[in-house]
Amino acid sequence: MKLTVVGGGSTYTPELVDGLARLRDTLPLDELVLVDPATDRLDLIGNLSRRILTRHGHHARVLTTPDLDKAVDGADAVLIQLRVGGQAAREQDETWPLTCGCVGQETTGAGGLAKALRTVPVVLDIADRVRRANPDAWLIDFTNPVGIVTRALLREGHRAVGLCNVAIGLQRKFAALLGVPPATVHLDHVGLNHLTWETAVRLNGPDGEDVLPRLLTTHGDTIAADLRLPRALLDRLGVVPSYYLRYYYAHDEVVRELRTKPSRAAEVAAMESELLTLYADPALDTKPDLLARRGGAYYSEAAVDLAAALLTGTGSPYQVVNTLNRGTLPFLPDDAVVEVPATVTTTGPVPLPVRPVSPLYAGLMADVTAYEHLALEAALHGGRDRVFQALLAHPLIGQYEYADTLTDQLIAHNREHLAWA
């Protein structure tokens, strides 16, 4: 079995390789190919990947190459984890929206739209090349904004599933608080990528006992602190929102914070520099502790589980994925991409039935779905008017003066990545 990682030079990659090594019985891998134009980083991470696999007694070959077509030839699955423009572009995404008093973030708001515009054409080109090389290969998209990128892939008929680590992170957190094995915890996880709520936490399957009220009563302070939201809000809602909901529920507070501290991009860039120094140590054969602070916790477990289900029909019976709505949430279009629990087999994901969603959450989902539709139109076809419409539709912007100003700033900061600009 061959797995190709596009963006294999990412500092995330040792996290994935660690999961492949530890879960080798779940996904029997013969060849791992890391592809990235940054050959200096690729060599470091390729060598570390070999040492990690050797430490665990895994005999898969690790190949590195800047040649995408060579890398995807014969691949059973291709995992896409790239960042167009690197941390420098992310730094811009997180800063220029603040001039209008709007949140600066890499996956939502104006910064998220900028990332989508840079990313969608690149990912679609990769997907077309994968399909020419091997039309049966699965594409696993971990590239943000996952919902928009996955929607673009599915719209073009690619065999694609979107993946995010928010759900598995909460599952592991809740399991630890409850003192039970993670596999026994099932989340009623509903929404869009980076716009989700846990409306129930069930033990032993999707029809099991809902222990969310107990979690909020006993551990509400801990959960609220992790989300950086007031405990009283969680008690009033009776659900656990993802930490990305803080950008909506506490927007002005977040903007004030972002204006007075270094950007997350700057923090990550510093960590990446330190990580690459660690990776260069020929004695290192484990993922360093620092990697946990880089983000993407449990990414490897989620990715291995999903790949195993798609390629071999094994893996967890229920997984949270990004896939076509197709009536799962009746208040959204069928071609929207939703993030919900699904059964995943070699034929792809099938969402589980979702219990009725409160208008408090359904309304915001519908608003952001409309924005994502407009964002994808802008990414595919370009044009200032399409960018303006997407920004005007976004719940975190929504005023024409802001949308006008942010449109000009987005184009100015991303001109080199926008063929139409």
Side-chain angles (χ1 to χ4, degrees):
M1 186 176 297
K2 176 178 177 179
L3 175 66
T4 297
V5 181
V6 179
S10 168
T11 53
Y12 267 137
T13 300
E15 165 72 26
L16 173 65
V17 175
D18 177 77
L20 291 168
R22 289 185 293 101
L23 302 173
R24 60 183 178 274
D25 293 336
T26 302
L27 185 67
L29 187 67
D30 301 305
E31 185 171 300
L32 175 66
V33 182
L34 308 179
V35 57
D36 202 296
T39 53
D40 51 341
R41 290 171 59 127
L42 195 58
D43 289 342
L44 283 180
I45 290 167
N47 288 332
L48 174 58
S49 298
R50 296 182 185 97
R51 296 194 298 269
I52 291 173
L53 291 175
T54 299
R55 177 186 176 88
H56 287 270
H58 198 302
H59 301 296
R61 290 196 308 159
V62 177
L63 303 178
T64 60
T65 178
D67 186 333
L68 176 67
D69 295 318
K70 177 181 177 181
V72 302
D73 186 30
D76 296 287
V78 177
L79 195 152
I80 305 173
Q81 57 170 35
L82 55 84
R83 181 182 295 280
V84 179
Q87 293 299 331
R90 178 179 180 173
E91 170 78 21
Q92 293 180 353
D93 294 343
E94 293 178 345
T95 51
W96 54 262
L98 296 173
T99 62
C100 287
C102 295
V103 71
Q105 211 276 330
E106 64 158 341
T107 64
T108 192
L113 177 60
K115 192 172 196 300
L117 298 184
R118 295 193 303 269
T119 304
V120 165
V122 174
V123 170
L124 288 179
D125 176 66
I126 291 167
D128 285 342
R129 292 160 73 175
V130 172
R131 183 156 54 188
R132 287 196 296 270
N134 182 6
D136 293 327
W138 278 103
L139 299 173
I140 298 174
D141 175 55
F142 197 68
T143 295
N144 283 319
V146 167
I148 296 172
V149 174
T150 302
R151 190 171 183 174
L153 289 167
L154 293 172
R155 177 169 165 168
E156 296 300 316
H158 295 288
R159 302 185 83 204
V161 183
L163 180 64
C164 181
N165 69 320
V166 167
I168 192 172
L170 287 171
Q171 181 206 41
R172 299 303 173 88
K173 178 71 174 180
F174 296 156
L177 293 173
L178 293 165
V180 299
T184 66
V185 175
H186 177 91
L187 303 179
D188 281 15
H189 177 102
V190 63
L192 315 177
N193 180 243
H194 289 186
L195 194 86
T196 52
W197 296 262
E198 312 309 321
T199 58
V201 178
R202 302 182 185 278
L203 295 181
N204 302 312
D207 298 316
E209 175 193 5
D210 179 13
V211 297
L212 180 55
R214 187 205 314 172
L215 269 171
L216 290 175
T217 298
T218 308
H219 302 289
D221 288 341
T222 298
I223 296 169
D226 286 347
L227 300 175
R228 299 187 64 200
L229 288 170
R231 162 71 184 272
L233 177 63
L234 301 191
D235 290 339
R236 291 172 68 183
L237 296 178
V239 303
V240 176
S242 86
Y243 53 85
Y244 286 93
L245 264 297
R246 186 168 183 261
Y247 297 117
Y248 296 82
Y249 292 163
H251 176 272
D252 293 353
E253 177 185 343
V254 171
V255 168
R256 288 193 295 270
E257 291 176 2
L258 293 175
R259 283 173 162 169
T260 59
K261 68 176 188 178
S263 68
R264 175 62 178 166
E267 294 175 356
V268 170
M271 276 187 270
E272 287 198 332
S273 178
E274 188 174 348
L275 283 168
L276 291 171
T277 299
L278 293 172
Y279 294 170
D281 181 357
L284 182 69
D285 59 1
T286 61
K287 63 176 184 179
D289 293 340
L290 177 61
L291 189 55
R293 291 168 45 205
R294 168 66 178 82
Y298 307 115
Y299 150 60
S300 58
E301 284 89 341
V304 171
D305 212 14
L306 179 55
L310 293 171
L311 298 178
T312 70
T314 60
S316 301
Y318 310 113
Q319 301 182 38
V320 174
V321 297
N322 285 262
T323 190
L324 286 175
N325 181 39
R326 289 178 176 163
T328 303
L329 300 178
F331 52 89
L332 297 181
D334 283 348
D335 65 346
V337 164
V338 295
E339 186 171 293
V340 293
T343 55
V344 185
T345 67
T346 55
T347 59
V350 177
L352 298 178
V354 173
R355 293 167 176 83
V357 178
S358 164
L360 181 59
Y361 316 120
L364 186 53
M365 287 183 217
D367 285 349
V368 175
T369 296
Y371 152 75
E372 290 189 346
H373 170 82
L374 294 168
L376 182 53
E377 290 298 304
L380 293 174
H381 305 296
R384 187 187 188 283
D385 285 348
R386 291 190 181 92
V387 174
F388 171 79
Q389 289 172 13
L391 291 170
L392 187 63
H394 201 295
L396 295 181
I397 301 164
Q399 298 185 53
Y400 75 87
E401 289 185 351
Y402 290 171
D404 250 336
T405 300
L406 292 171
T407 296
D408 291 337
Q409 291 190 353
L410 185 155
I411 294 171
H413 283 95
N414 291 275
R415 197 175 299 277
E416 66 180 296
H417 301 291
L418 306 177
W420 52 267

